[in-house]
Amino acid sequence: MKIFVCVKQVPDTETKIKLKADASGIDTAGVKWVMNPYDEYAVEEAVKARETGKATSVTVFSVGPKSRIVETLRTALAMGADEAVAIDAPEDLDSGLTAKALAAAMKGEGEFGAVFTGKLAIDDNLSAVSQMLAENLQIPHTTVVSKLEIGDSMVAEREIEGGTKEIVQLSKPALIGANKGLNMPRYPSLPGIMKAKKKVIKELTLDGLGLASAQAAFKHTAFQLPAEKPPVKMLEGDAAAQSKTLATLLRQEAKVL
Amino acid sequence: MSKVLIFAEIADGKVKKGAFELLTAARSASLSTQVLALGTGSKAALQTLSGWSITEAFAGDNSAFNNYNPEVFAETVASAIKDSGADIVLASSSLLARDLFPRVAAKLGSAAVSDCTDLTLAGGLKVRRPMYSGKCSAEVTFLANGPKIVLMRANQLPVGEPAGAGAVTVKDLPAPTATGLRTLIKDIVKGASGKLDLTEANIIVSGGRGLKEAANFKLVEDLAATCGATVGASRAIVDAGWVSHSIQVGQTGKTVAPSLYIAIGISGAIQHLAGMSGSKVIVAINKDANAPIFQKASYGVVGDLFEVVPALTQEFKTLFQ
Ligand SMILES: Cc1cc2nc3c(=O)[nH]c(=O)nc-3n(C[C@H](O)[C@H](O)[C@H](O)COP(=O)(O)OP(=O)(O)OC[C@H]3O[C@@H](n4cnc5c(N)ncnc54)[C@H](O)[C@@H]3O)c2cc1C
Ligand SMILES: Cc1cc2nc3c(=O)[nH]c(=O)nc-3n(C[C@H](O)[C@H](O)[C@H](O)COP(=O)(O)OP(=O)(O)OC[C@H]3O[C@@H](n4cnc5c(N)ncnc54)[C@H](O)[C@@H]3O)c2cc1C
């Protein structure tokens, strides 16, 4: 079976965020881009499945400005993915349109047994694309997966509230949203990087996918930087004195105890 | 006039706190409010909601809803939303809701926005949510005609008291048809803790590498026990295998929003801050006065955690006696 993997290019967490002058978004000049950390788990799991004979090939898909996202697609190829598809789109597509674009592109790539994504993208933290994509493809899904077995069906372990785990069985094709713990993503090897450079990345457009006139369901607007926090109150004295003051402050000043 | 539908989660036969935050918000805006709950006991739980100005309540009081199955839930919830005529759907941004509502939104051709921290209902819907690991926030402008689905982070809104009496009539939602299901919940392995999940907890005590070794995590647990807190951890000690990943706070762990977050022996790396900087009051205990965590903290204790934490545990014990 073929595995399709979604990879999103996101600003590195260490990146300082500056807003555009009109507060319509972030200023992307000077942003360092990386593969969404959860998508690394998705790519690793797919490549591992191919290496162990559970999958025949791995195709990675990304939606975003073409000139930029090819970098993340090449990273996935260098990790061992076989093929890559770049869907050229503005960077402020909403989750619904992103999922529609991914679904349309996947339908053009033939039969598949599984779709792997990350459980969420760390830039806007929505955790929406995976489930919407599953709905668009009319396949079952489960997210926050930290263990996966691929056989005739797929058995996924997902962590839910309070450390409780759910074991979910899905008939194929199915979509899995990867969580930390699923595996240890590999670093791209030098031969991998050299090979990835030579691979042709397929390019699609929203127009070509019939989505040029599709409407977004929401937009992020009026961006703001967080309000300044009042400066920290440093406590004085030895351990006993600091503890006493702290307990009093938490109860009487902060009123959280 | 907006019509609101609140998705209420039920635990141990009771409506969870998050739903009361939403009920309070809807009631203060005097909106027509409907409530929906799923699972055994949901009908009785909804019947206790008198005093919350509910116009209609729906319960899928059926064991088929006891475990979350995305296929079953999405089908039922999407059709209930359609039938309700609600144009705003509110739920707590729990793991279940975050998984469920985008799929529901895709069915309805609308949007679901998770992890919101600000909600205004009076005079039109206004929602804000943090982005880029809390480094900025944005308002959400809904563009589609379908219902606007808003998932609120826990502990962001005040909880009021029920006002007035009156029975709540709860209508039954049909049991799902189990044919053709492609998702099967094979097993539920219960976690050890009876404590609130980190994402819902009001007080969190977290430990990091400053604890030196796994056995010392007990210091964190002891302090937490004195104040009913849930324990958390930095990734450093999760990766070291001292504690389970289910309690990791941060970018690749959980995003938390308690009233009080106590960070013990945690340096305050950006990826850790990403998960906890939304906490109302932050206490940092660290021997290094220059640790980045102090820049985010409300109260700072510079000292050896092996002296400070036992002393603080004693203080809390006295306080809560
Ligand atoms: C630099 C930047 C600026 C932005 N500015 C704005 C703005 O001004 N206004 C605004 O409204 N929004 C803005 N956005 C938001 C963003 O483009 C969309 O909201 C987002 O693509 C929807 O995905 P998600 O975050 O819901 O993904 P999630 O649902 O959190 O992601 C889950 C998984 O889906 C897959 N996935 C998600 N997106 C993609 C993708 N594009 N390609 C391939 N796989 C994907 C990945 O596997 C991911 O792990 C900006 C984003 C970036 C990166
Ligand atoms: C992609 C990515 C994702 C990540 N996601 C996360 C995440 O989700 N969550 C997370 O936490 N991290 C995450 N990290 C890791 C993060 O960068 C840090 O490495 C980690 O948070 C450090 O943990 P720590 O603060 O416990 O340890 P350290 O940074 O080693 O800090 C230990 C602190 O303890 C103090 N200390 C030592 N001894 C004592 C004593 N006796 N008394 C008092 N204080 C003492 C020290 O002064 C120091 O400040 C991520 C990293 C990457 C690259």
Side-chain angles (χ1 to χ4, degrees):
Chain A
M1 70 169 189
K2 276 192 191 173
I3 300 181
F4 291 168
V5 185
C6 301
V7 292
K8 186 179 186 184
Q9 193 187 40
V10 299
D12 185 30
T13 340
E14 310 276 354
T15 295
K16 266 219 147 48
I17 294 288
K18 276 182 286 172
L19 301 187
K20 289 183 188 159
D22 65 356
S24 64
I26 65 159
D27 181 356
T28 53
V31 164
K32 181 176 170 244
W33 300 93
V34 296
M35 185 189 292
N36 181 38
Y38 293 107
D39 298 354
E40 294 180 8
Y41 302 115
V43 173
E44 175 65 34
E45 198 67 9
V47 171
K48 227 174 53 189
R50 194 210 47 224
E51 286 169 350
T52 53
K54 289 179 178 148
T56 50
S57 73
V58 177
T59 311
V60 286
F61 295 77
S62 190
V63 180
K66 178 183 75 187
S67 57
R68 210 186 64 207
I69 60 172
V70 291
E71 187 197 324
T72 288
L73 288 169
R74 290 223 190 269
T75 305
L77 290 170
M79 286 172 75
D82 303 288
E83 291 172 20
V85 179
I87 304 155
D88 190 27
E91 63 195 344
D92 57 354
L93 276 201
D94 76 341
S95 358
L97 280 181
T98 304
K100 276 187 189 148
L102 288 167
M106 286 177 183
K107 282 176 186 159
E109 296 300 308
E111 298 262 317
F112 59 92
V115 179
F116 293 171
T117 70
K119 76 165 180 188
L120 64 79
I122 60 157
D123 49 359
D124 43 20
N125 236 37
L126 274 164
S127 60
V129 167
S130 319
Q131 304 91 306
M132 295 181 117
L133 174 59
E135 177 64 26
N136 294 342
L137 293 170
Q138 289 295 305
I139 60 173
H141 84 267
T142 191
T143 56
V144 206
V145 170
S146 49
K147 203 168 156 194
L148 182 67
E149 275 166 46
I150 305 174
D152 292 335
S153 57
M154 295 204 277
V155 179
E157 193 174 292
R158 72 191 292 264
E159 227 170 57
I160 53 176
E161 267 87 10
T164 296
K165 284 179 183 153
E166 240 173 45
I167 318 294
V168 186
Q169 184 179 325
L170 303 147
S171 59
K172 292 192 285 196
L175 181 144
I176 300 293
N179 194 16
K180 178 170 183 270
L182 186 58
N183 51 47
M184 281 295 281
R186 69 193 72 190
Y187 288 107
S189 63
L190 194 59
I193 294 169
M194 299 314 288
K195 241 165 82 189
K197 276 195 180 148
K198 291 197 206 103
K199 286 198 177 148
V200 180
I201 293 177
K202 186 166 174 179
E203 289 175 11
L204 301 174
T205 60
L206 291 183
D207 210 0
L209 295 170
L211 289 169
S213 60
Q215 295 290 310
F218 77 95
K219 226 174 108 166
H220 284 114
T221 54
F223 280 69
Q224 274 176 4
L225 296 175
E228 287 287 330
K229 255 186 120 58
V232 53
K233 238 183 216 178
M234 299 304 276
L235 309 182
E236 307 272 328
D238 63 8
Q242 292 195 84
S243 301
K244 203 169 214 73
T245 318
L246 181 61
T248 310
L249 286 169
L250 290 176
R251 173 152 282 186
Q252 289 169 10
E253 184 179 77
K255 300 193 167 60
V256 288
L257 282 184
Chain B
M1 184 70 162
S2 287
K3 238 176 136 179
V4 175
L5 176 71
I6 293 171
F7 177 78
E9 285 185 46
I10 311 284
D12 305 323
K14 290 203 189 94
V15 175
K16 285 172 87 169
K17 174 168 174 263
F20 287 104
E21 297 182 15
L22 303 170
L23 284 164
T24 306
R27 192 180 56 186
S28 355
S30 311
L31 299 180
S32 157
T33 305
Q34 302 170 314
V35 193
L36 162 65
L38 299 176
T40 306
S42 53
K43 188 164 187 172
L46 292 185
Q47 277 162 343
T48 64
L49 294 181
S50 74
W52 290 98
S53 312
I54 291 161
T55 48
E56 270 187 301
F58 307 94
D61 200 326
N62 189 296
S63 62
F65 294 117
N66 285 1
N67 294 322
Y68 171 60
N69 181 323
E71 275 185 272
V72 173
F73 273 54
E75 197 63 53
T76 301
V77 172
S79 72
I81 293 173
K82 261 194 248 164
D83 294 345
S84 73
D87 54 352
I88 297 176
V89 177
L90 302 176
S92 261
S93 199
S94 65
L95 200 55
L96 186 159
R98 287 176 71 113
D99 189 272
L100 168 66
F101 280 101
R103 189 143 194 169
V104 169
K107 279 188 193 289
L108 299 174
S110 63
V113 291
S114 62
D115 205 28
C116 301
T117 48
D118 272 300
L119 171 74
T120 312
L121 289 166
L125 176 69
K126 256 196 168 166
V127 177
R128 283 195 83 80
R129 53 193 307 279
M131 292 182 69
Y132 304 100
S133 319
K135 283 187 257 183
C136 63
S137 72
E139 199 168 301
V140 175
T141 304
F142 287 91
L143 305 167
N145 291 324
K148 306 169 172 71
I149 305 177
V150 174
L151 310 183
M152 283 296 295
R153 195 186 269 187
N155 300 330
Q156 303 297 305
L157 301 167
V159 178
E161 291 293 324
V168 181
T169 320
V170 184
K171 293 186 188 157
D172 292 304
L173 288 177
T177 46
T179 51
L181 277 185
R182 290 164 298 173
T183 313
L184 186 76
I185 312 301
K186 286 188 64 178
D187 200 5
I188 308 278
V189 187
K190 279 266 176 242
S193 95
K195 287 269 156 48
L196 274 181
D197 189 65
L198 279 171
T199 54
E200 297 173 73
N202 195 37
I203 305 181
I204 294 173
V205 181
S206 268
R209 188 146 47 197
L211 288 163
K212 302 274 188 304
E213 56 179 281
N216 296 332
F217 194 72
K218 186 155 186 316
L219 289 173
V220 171
E221 287 168 341
D222 288 348
L223 178 59
T226 60
C227 54
T230 301
V231 295
S234 75
R235 173 164 170 179
I237 73 169
V238 171
D239 287 355
W242 301 0
V243 293
S244 128
H245 173 247
S246 66
I247 66 166
Q248 182 184 317
V249 171
Q251 184 194 290
T252 41
K254 286 184 171 153
T255 303
V256 301
S259 303
L260 174 60
Y261 188 90
I262 304 181
I264 298 170
I266 293 177
S267 60
I270 187 100
Q271 295 89 354
H272 189 80
L273 299 178
M276 50 66 81
S277 57
S279 309
K280 222 171 275 158
V281 173
I282 297 169
V283 172
I285 300 171
N286 198 303
K287 67 175 184 190
D288 172 9
N290 295 317
I293 187 85
F294 287 119
Q295 287 162 28
K296 287 281 167 190
S298 332
Y299 300 108
V301 177
V302 178
D304 186 345
L305 70 87
F306 295 101
E307 291 170 25
V308 176
V309 179
L312 193 58
T313 305
Q314 271 314 316
E315 285 299 329
F316 278 15
K317 267 193 193 144
T318 328
L319 205 61
F320 286 102
Q321 246 165 29

